[in-house]
Amino acid sequence: MTSFFRMKNVKILHLPLFFVFVHPCFAQADFAPYFYDNGPYSYNGNMALFSLSEDTAVGTQIYCLNGTDPEGQEVRYGLSFDAGSKEYFRVDPISGNITLVEQLDREKRDSIDVLVSITDGQSKVVERVTIFVMDANDEKPEFLNMPAIIDVLETTGSGSSIYKVEAVDKDTGSGGSVTFFLQNPQSTLFAMDRHSGVLRIKSGEMLDYEKTKTHFVTVIARDGGGDFNGKEQFMSSSATLTINVIDAQDTPPFFIGTPYFGYVYEISEPGSEIFTVVAKDGDAGNPNPIRYSFDDGDDGVFSINKTSGCITLLTLPMYLKREIFNIKVKASEISPEGRLMDYEVTMVVIRVVDLNNNPPTFYGENGPKNMFELTMYEHPPEGEILRGLKITVNDSDQGANAKFNLKLIGPGRMLRVVPQTVLNEAQVTILVEDSAAMDYEKHHFLTYKLLAVEIDTPERFSATADIVIHLLDTNDNAPKFSSDYYIARIPENSPGGSNVVSVTATDPDSGPWGEVKYSIYGSGADLFLIQPVSGIIYTQPWASLDAEVRSKYNFYVKAEDAEGKYSLAEVFVTVLDLNDHPPAFNDNFLEKTMVIGAPVKIEAVDDDAEVPNNVIEYAIMKAEPDNNIFDINADTGEIMLKSYIKSMAIIQNITKQRDCTWSLVVQARDRGQPSFSTTAVIKIDITEAIKSRFVSHFLGLRKRPGAVFGICLTFVTFAISLTIFISTFIYWNSVKKSRVQSQGKIRKIIRRPVP
């Protein structure tokens, strides 16, 4: 930069005849600050030739202004824009750092003029610089002529160009170049030149209006890619081209609703319309009119209207020499000039048929009949023919008019009819299909409808006949009880001949076969009888029921009809217990010894069979000499001293007596209704707790003299037996010693020498 020189604070004095020299210390030169010019690729200096990519993020520090003052004074930096211009940057006046504050867009503005300044406080230098905005690949290609709709003739040749797609990309460089593609090239009839955008019909392919009238082709325009935010990016757009195929005259006519069948009836007259054929031009987009004509097979007895296709009869049916006519009808296109063009031929089959004027009719042995009856037994064998029904069916027409089906309509599928299809006439046979369902108990009679319906005629004539079958009963059912078992209850005090339970069995058969007789048998039936007709079970006149002896009985009851068919049911009888036994003690006077701290137990027995009649409760009714020292367990009968009595001294203190013998009256009562009870007197001797059970036992024997006598007798017998054993042992031992001594003496005598 070019600096300039300024003089400040220099004073010039105008004095006559004198020049005044000002010493340098009194005058100072000031040089302006300047920017460093570091070239276009530097990021600090004066921003000369600086360029910035348009994808730079807002808030990025993009440059640093850098300059100096020749005098070394501190400098400040400034940045401004022309009036009315958008301010894209902001500068820090001290550091010179420049920050981007507005988003750049090269496509809108590719350069920005900026005024940068530097000042030292005295002088200020301002420079205009231009910032160049560099392109980033941020724009998609834009179609100029898409989407579009075009019309293409279906006869357009293979490989022909049919449209040129145009698109532009506002980016520069490779990001601004555009290539074209089809979205699904394999599934379309078209191909795209990627560089020129020309759309062609694929080689070897042809358009066909009759197959597809409209094609939708999606074209993709893609740029060549470029940098965006530090990464390579490709941008693309798509649009749809609608191709309408224009029909051309290249398809012959076709008939609608084939195959064609017409009929001539016996009552038809000359001029009668037999059938109308309809054809259309295959080129539906621009169809030509159709002209009809006979090609062959009409024998001159039919005519066809050349515009409507209506075939008419020219003669009476009686003069027709064939039953079936196979006529070839031609449908030809007519050009606008009246020329015959493409044509199509189809076959029309015309059949001469009999008039269907006779419905089917049923016959019996004496002529037409519509009611047939039969009486038979129930459950005939399956497959059996109902020979009592003699039915014939007839249709007087000919051919298809005389063909009809037979159906048997009625309850279930018990019967079936043969044959099921008849031509003219047949003998009708009814067979048994389901023997079990033909049950007199369910149906006393069966009513069926026999239906004959024509098959192939428009009139569908029909006829019906009623078949009524009266069933006769057989003995095909055994009696059946209302339940498989019966449960009865009877009190044990019931007198002989009391009713126990009533059983019921039914037999659906009629007459004697439906009458039921009852009997009973089994190990538990001895005490019971049954009324054979009513089924009432009652006890034997002499029977006495006792729940304590036997409370459960079971036996079988048999229901039998007149021919011996029967069924069984089981009867369970429970004898209900009554409270007819009072509780009983083993003895009405009992003696017990009670050790302080241990209970004594009494027990009564109730002979009733069931609870609560045999459940016993115990209670102390009276105690002497004191009534307030004992408790009794009402359920178990255990008698114990009250908890505060721990010694004989307490008892003696209460009674003021040395004798500790008590007399208690204890009651045993059952829980039956009504309740029975009995009492017993319990004599209790109370003693202190004794450690030796043996001594305690003998102390208790002083009130049982019989037991004491038995013990003494046992002891004396044992002592006598022991004395006898010891005496016998001593005796035999002394005898043995005496024998030994005698033998010694004899030996001495034998050894004495002879004199």
Side-chain angles (χ1 to χ4, degrees):
M1 297 291 294
T2 303
S3 62
F4 58 91
F5 174 80
R6 290 182 179 179
M7 298 293 290
K8 296 191 299 180
N9 300 325
V10 178
K11 296 181 179 180
I12 303 176
L13 301 177
H14 299 279
L15 297 176
L17 302 177
F18 292 97
F19 290 94
V20 179
F21 177 76
V22 181
H23 194 275
C25 64
F26 296 103
Q28 183 176 0
D30 180 29
F31 296 94
Y34 61 90
F35 287 105
Y36 293 119
D37 189 356
N38 293 326
Y41 303 107
S42 174
Y43 287 93
N44 65 77
N46 63 348
M47 294 187 78
L49 300 178
F50 178 67
S51 60
L52 182 65
S53 178
E54 66 176 328
D55 61 352
T56 304
V58 173
T60 304
Q61 180 182 323
I62 61 172
Y63 199 85
C64 181
L65 294 177
N66 192 6
T68 186
D69 182 70
E71 291 81 25
Q73 294 186 20
E74 183 179 0
V75 296
R76 293 287 188 270
Y77 302 98
L79 186 149
S80 63
F81 297 84
D82 291 334
S85 297
K86 191 174 184 179
E87 297 184 1
Y88 287 90
F89 313 107
R90 183 179 296 121
V91 65
D92 185 303
I94 298 175
S95 65
N97 290 333
I98 297 177
T99 303
L100 179 66
V101 296
E102 293 288 344
Q103 184 64 51
L104 302 176
D105 188 346
R106 188 201 66 82
E107 286 72 31
K108 294 181 179 179
R109 188 171 182 181
D110 58 1
S111 65
I112 303 170
D113 290 333
V114 181
L115 297 173
V116 296
S117 63
I118 183 170
T119 180
D120 60 1
Q122 299 293 328
S123 301
K124 181 177 181 180
V125 176
V126 179
E127 296 183 6
R128 178 182 292 275
V129 296
T130 299
I131 310 300
F132 297 99
V133 181
M134 306 305 294
D135 189 35
N137 192 25
D138 61 342
E139 297 289 335
K140 292 183 178 181
E142 295 181 0
F143 288 97
L144 300 179
N145 57 351
M146 293 277 282
I149 300 174
I150 63 174
D151 295 331
V152 181
L153 193 65
E154 67 173 329
T155 56
T156 302
S158 175
S160 299
S161 300
I162 60 174
Y163 194 71
K164 182 177 181 179
V165 179
E166 297 178 356
V168 295
D169 192 316
K170 296 178 181 179
D171 292 318
T172 61
S174 61
S177 64
V178 180
T179 54
F180 301 94
F181 305 91
L182 296 183
Q183 189 174 51
N184 296 303
Q186 292 81 15
S187 60
T188 182
L189 301 176
F190 308 97
M192 172 69 73
D193 186 286
R194 60 179 298 181
H195 298 293
S196 66
V198 173
L199 182 68
R200 293 182 173 85
I201 299 175
K202 278 184 180 179
S203 178
E205 299 287 353
M206 291 292 293
L207 301 179
D208 191 341
Y209 176 87
E210 285 69 35
K211 290 184 178 179
T212 306
K213 296 178 176 61
T214 303
H215 298 269
F216 299 96
V217 179
T218 301
V219 180
I220 298 174
R222 190 175 70 170
D223 63 22
D227 186 70
F228 184 77
N229 290 333
K231 297 181 180 179
E232 187 176 21
Q233 173 173 274
F234 293 88
M235 305 287 284
S236 63
S237 301
S238 64
T240 300
L241 178 64
T242 303
I243 303 172
N244 293 325
V245 181
I246 304 303
D247 191 21
Q249 290 296 331
D250 61 347
T251 305
F254 64 94
F255 286 94
I256 299 174
T258 58
Y260 294 141
F261 297 96
Y263 299 93
V264 177
Y265 298 100
E266 59 181 337
I267 61 171
S268 299
E269 296 180 355
S272 299
E273 295 183 3
I274 306 302
F275 195 81
T276 299
V277 297
V278 179
K280 288 187 177 181
D281 187 356
D283 301 304
N286 186 22
N288 286 324
I290 304 297
R291 177 175 292 176
Y292 301 96
S293 62
F294 286 141
D295 197 46
D296 187 27
D298 62 299
D299 289 359
V301 295
F302 298 97
S303 67
I304 186 168
N305 187 296
K306 64 180 181 180
T307 56
S308 68
C310 179
I311 300 173
T312 58
L313 180 65
L314 297 178
T315 185
L316 291 171
M318 60 184 298
Y319 298 119
L320 299 179
K321 298 179 180 180
R322 287 190 288 171
E323 184 179 348
I324 297 176
F325 291 84
N326 295 314
I327 302 175
K328 292 182 180 178
V329 177
K330 179 190 290 186
S332 304
E333 292 183 42
I334 302 175
S335 69
E337 297 81 16
R339 262 184 324 108
L340 293 179
M341 299 174 63
D342 286 343
Y343 65 89
E344 182 68 22
V345 177
T346 190
M347 184 72 70
V348 178
V349 179
I350 297 178
R351 183 185 299 273
V352 181
V353 296
D354 174 47
L355 184 64
N356 185 30
N357 51 7
N358 293 289
T361 305
F362 292 103
Y363 295 87
E365 294 180 309
N366 300 318
K369 190 176 182 181
N370 58 9
M371 170 66 79
F372 299 88
E373 292 188 80
L374 175 67
T375 300
M376 61 184 296
Y377 284 104
E378 63 177 338
H379 305 305
E382 292 184 0
E384 180 175 310
I385 299 174
L386 304 188
R387 302 188 184 278
L389 296 175
K390 300 185 182 297
I391 307 172
T392 303
V393 63
N394 174 270
D395 190 320
S396 300
D397 290 316
Q398 299 298 318
N401 291 336
K403 189 176 182 180
F404 54 93
N405 285 336
L406 288 178
K407 295 181 180 179
L408 193 62
I409 302 173
R413 303 179 64 180
M414 306 178 202
L415 305 174
R416 65 185 177 93
V417 62
V418 291
Q420 294 184 345
T421 302
V422 179
L423 182 61
N424 290 118
E425 185 176 285
Q427 184 73 34
V428 179
T429 302
I430 307 296
L431 300 176
V432 176
E433 184 84 357
D434 187 353
S435 175
M438 298 182 68
D439 191 347
Y440 173 84
E441 285 71 35
K442 296 179 181 178
H443 312 280
H444 286 7
F445 62 90
L446 304 172
T447 301
Y448 284 85
K449 288 282 188 183
L450 183 58
L451 180 64
V453 182
E454 291 179 347
I455 302 173
D456 299 324
T457 64
E459 297 81 9
R460 303 278 289 178
F461 287 140
S462 63
T464 59
D466 293 323
I467 298 177
V468 179
I469 300 174
H470 300 276
L471 295 178
L472 300 177
D473 193 21
T474 61
N475 189 24
D476 58 333
N477 295 285
K480 185 176 182 180
F481 282 98
S482 59
S483 176
D484 292 334
Y485 58 90
Y486 295 88
I487 298 175
R489 296 175 178 83
I490 183 170
E492 63 178 342
N493 63 348
S494 299
S498 298
N499 290 344
V500 178
V501 66
S502 177
V503 299
T504 303
T506 57
D507 191 325
D509 291 319
S510 61
W513 297 323
E515 297 177 359
V516 179
K517 291 187 178 181
Y518 301 95
S519 60
I520 59 174
Y521 68 93
S523 60
D526 297 340
L527 296 180
F528 303 93
L529 296 173
I530 189 170
Q531 294 181 7
V533 177
S534 66
I536 296 175
I537 299 174
Y538 56 97
T539 59
Q540 294 273 13
W542 47 264
S544 177
L545 301 177
D546 191 342
E548 289 74 34
V549 176
R550 183 174 178 179
S551 61
K552 303 288 184 181
Y553 297 87
N554 69 291
F555 50 86
Y556 292 94
V557 58
K558 180 179 181 181
E560 187 174 9
D561 66 15
E563 288 190 350
K565 291 188 176 182
Y566 68 91
S567 62
L568 300 176
E570 194 167 4
V571 179
F572 299 90
V573 179
T574 299
V575 180
L576 300 177
D577 182 43
L578 297 177
N579 192 24
D580 55 355
H581 292 85
F585 290 100
N586 292 335
D587 193 344
N588 289 334
F589 183 82
L590 302 173
E591 291 186 349
K592 298 285 184 179
T593 299
M594 175 182 288
V595 177
I596 293 177
V600 296
K601 184 176 182 180
I602 61 174
E603 186 174 10
V605 177
D606 192 314
D607 291 333
D608 284 314
E610 298 177 357
V611 296
N613 297 334
N614 58 5
V615 177
I616 300 175
E617 294 180 342
Y618 300 92
I620 298 175
M621 306 303 294
K622 184 178 180 182
E624 292 182 351
D626 192 283
N627 203 32
N628 195 32
I629 70 167
F630 292 101
D631 286 325
I632 188 168
N633 188 311
D635 296 323
T636 63
E638 289 185 344
I639 301 173
M640 63 201 77
L641 293 171
K642 290 188 179 292
S643 58
Y644 66 87
I645 299 177
K646 305 294 185 181
S647 65
M648 290 291 293
I650 296 174
I651 297 173
Q652 292 170 356
N653 187 42
I654 293 173
T655 60
K656 308 301 183 180
Q657 298 179 8
R658 300 292 298 174
D659 186 10
C660 291
T661 300
W662 253 259
S663 178
L664 279 71
V665 177
V666 178
Q667 181 190 69
R669 176 182 293 274
D670 63 29
R671 295 182 181 178
Q673 291 295 332
S675 178
F676 293 101
S677 64
T678 187
T679 57
V681 177
I682 314 298
K683 188 173 183 180
I684 298 178
D685 289 337
I686 302 175
T687 65
E688 292 279 3
I690 301 175
K691 294 182 180 180
S692 171
R693 288 183 175 270
F694 184 76
V695 175
S696 177
H697 177 70
F698 275 94
L699 287 175
L701 293 177
R702 57 182 179 167
K703 302 297 182 181
R704 297 164 59 191
V708 173
F709 176 77
I711 292 173
C712 293
L713 181 61
T714 301
F715 179 77
V716 170
T717 303
F718 176 76
I720 294 173
S721 298
L722 181 62
T723 301
I724 294 173
F725 175 76
I726 294 173
S727 300
T728 303
F729 178 77
I730 294 173
Y731 170 76
W732 284 108
N733 193 32
S734 61
V735 170
K736 183 177 180 181
K737 289 182 179 180
S738 63
R739 287 180 180 177
V740 172
Q741 291 176 357
S742 299
Q743 289 177 357
K745 291 179 180 180
I746 293 172
R747 290 192 186 100
K748 290 179 181 180
I749 294 172
I750 293 174
R751 291 178 180 175
R752 184 178 296 171
V754 179

